Amino acid sequence: MKITSAESFVLDVPIGSEIADSMQFVTRLEFAGLTIRTDAGIDGTGYTVTVGAGGRVIQTAIDTLYIDDLIGKDPRNVREIWQELYFGKAHWIGRAGATTMAQAAVDIALWDIIAKAADLPLWQALGGARQADIPIYNTHAGWLNYSIDQLTDEARQLVDQGYTALKMKVGLKDSKEDRRRVAAVRKSIGDRILLMVDANQKWDLMQACEAARLIEEFDLSWLEEPLHPDDIRSHRILNEHTSIPIALGEHVYTTHAFRDYIEQRAVDLIQVDVCRVGGITPWLEVAAMANAFNIRVCPHAGDLMQVHQHMVKAIPNHWLLEVIPIWEKGPFKHQIRLEDGKCVSPEAPGASTDFTAEAFEKYRVS
Ligand code: MG
């Protein structure tokens, strides 16, 4: 099989609501990616997601750093291609950020082809590790722009729908206000529902230690991204300071950085994101490394769960898949299916990354 052509795209998709964490206010998502075509008649699609800016930067990286070097290659040699691209034209200017996200789109498209060629859903093409439907948690009840009444109403509704694990945002200027919001949600959902909090890097070390102390009593399953993701040392100190498990990974771009976090005991749960770490190829390496250290993997929903629903079924150390159901009918041909607080196992061949022709045409801006 040989790659004959590839074409990049940016889709700009409104999410139909307004959501906020301590860093972002989000009304639209960009899907920046590419479709790779082969002489076997099998196409693969890969993408990465932004919260409304930077999609064209990623597209330029795909166009100018990667596409030419794909033509003529056999997509089934995906690991060799990953190394060649990583140490190729992008290395001087890249290694983290937009170039890594662009390489993720390429790598996902290649694995999509491999799975489609095998006529298997990606998780089985990778070697299935669990057949059962996927345990999940819902982030959509806990945005920072919600009032306390909204927070508790939404949380109760999700529990009524069958969700058993919820995440809410923290990271307000006043940590005592964060404490009031966490206390209200915990009270409204009772003690049987798992609850996590996410600060989206907002704090410095002193505020992180103080905020963790204030919310420690609410039986939280993890505290996510308390600090700047390059600051491993501060995470280690915080981890020594608090009994709440520390989770992160959505802004960690290399296997080496994950190794250092794990080795220094600065993290308890790994949230490696296939769209940020450079694709499925390095994602599997990070997940295997975490497994060797007896650490669970709960991937960040930076792909809108389309790819991660497969990834978590291909590893033994998965715990909970993040889901953010922001639209009734999304732009995908094989949209994830959530039922009774679980994600239903995907069955269609490939990585579930194909868009519907209608959505592709409607939302394509570049
Ligand atoms: Mg997060």
Coordinates of all heavy atoms in Angstrom, one line a residue, residues 167 169 198 200 224-225 250 300, ligand 1:
K167 N -16.8 15.9 36.9 CA -15.6 16.8 37.1 C -16.1 18.3 37.1 O -17.0 18.6 36.3 CB -14.5 16.6 36.1 CG -13.3 17.4 36.4 CD -12.1 16.9 35.6 CE -12.1 17.6 34.2 NZ -11.1 17.0 33.3
K169 N -14.8 22.6 37.4 CA -13.7 23.5 37.3 C -13.5 24.3 38.6 O -14.5 24.6 39.2 CB -13.9 24.5 36.1 CG -14.1 23.8 34.8 CD -12.8 23.2 34.3 CE -12.9 22.5 32.9 NZ -11.6 21.9 32.5
D198 N -10.7 20.6 38.5 CA -9.7 20.9 37.4 C -9.4 22.4 37.5 O -10.3 23.2 37.3 CB -10.2 20.6 36.1 CG -9.2 20.8 34.9 OD1 -8.1 21.3 35.2 OD2 -9.6 20.5 33.8
N200 N -6.9 24.0 35.6 CA -6.4 24.5 34.4 C -5.2 25.4 34.5 O -5.1 26.5 33.9 CB -7.5 25.2 33.6 CG -8.6 24.2 33.1 OD1 -9.6 24.0 33.7 ND2 -8.3 23.5 32.0
E224 N -6.7 18.3 39.1 CA -6.2 18.3 37.8 C -5.5 19.6 37.4 O -6.0 20.7 37.7 CB -7.3 18.0 36.8 CG -6.9 18.0 35.3 CD -8.1 17.5 34.4 OE1 -8.8 16.6 34.9 OE2 -8.2 18.0 33.3
E225 N -4.3 19.5 36.8 CA -3.6 20.7 36.3 C -3.6 21.9 37.3 O -4.0 23.0 36.9 CB -4.1 21.2 34.9 CG -3.7 20.3 33.8 CD -3.7 21.1 32.5 OE1 -4.7 21.7 32.1 OE2 -2.6 21.1 31.8
E250 N -2.7 16.9 29.7 CA -3.3 17.4 28.5 C -2.4 18.5 27.9 O -2.5 18.8 26.7 CB -4.7 18.0 28.7 CG -4.7 19.2 29.7 CD -6.1 19.6 30.0 OE1 -6.8 19.0 30.9 OE2 -6.6 20.6 29.3
H300 N -7.4 13.0 28.4 CA -8.1 14.3 28.2 C -8.8 14.3 26.9 O -8.4 13.8 25.9 CB -7.0 15.4 28.2 CG -7.5 16.7 27.8 ND1 -7.2 17.3 26.6 CD2 -8.3 17.6 28.4 CE1 -7.7 18.5 26.4 NE2 -8.4 18.7 27.5
Ligands
MG1 MG -8.3 19.6 32.1

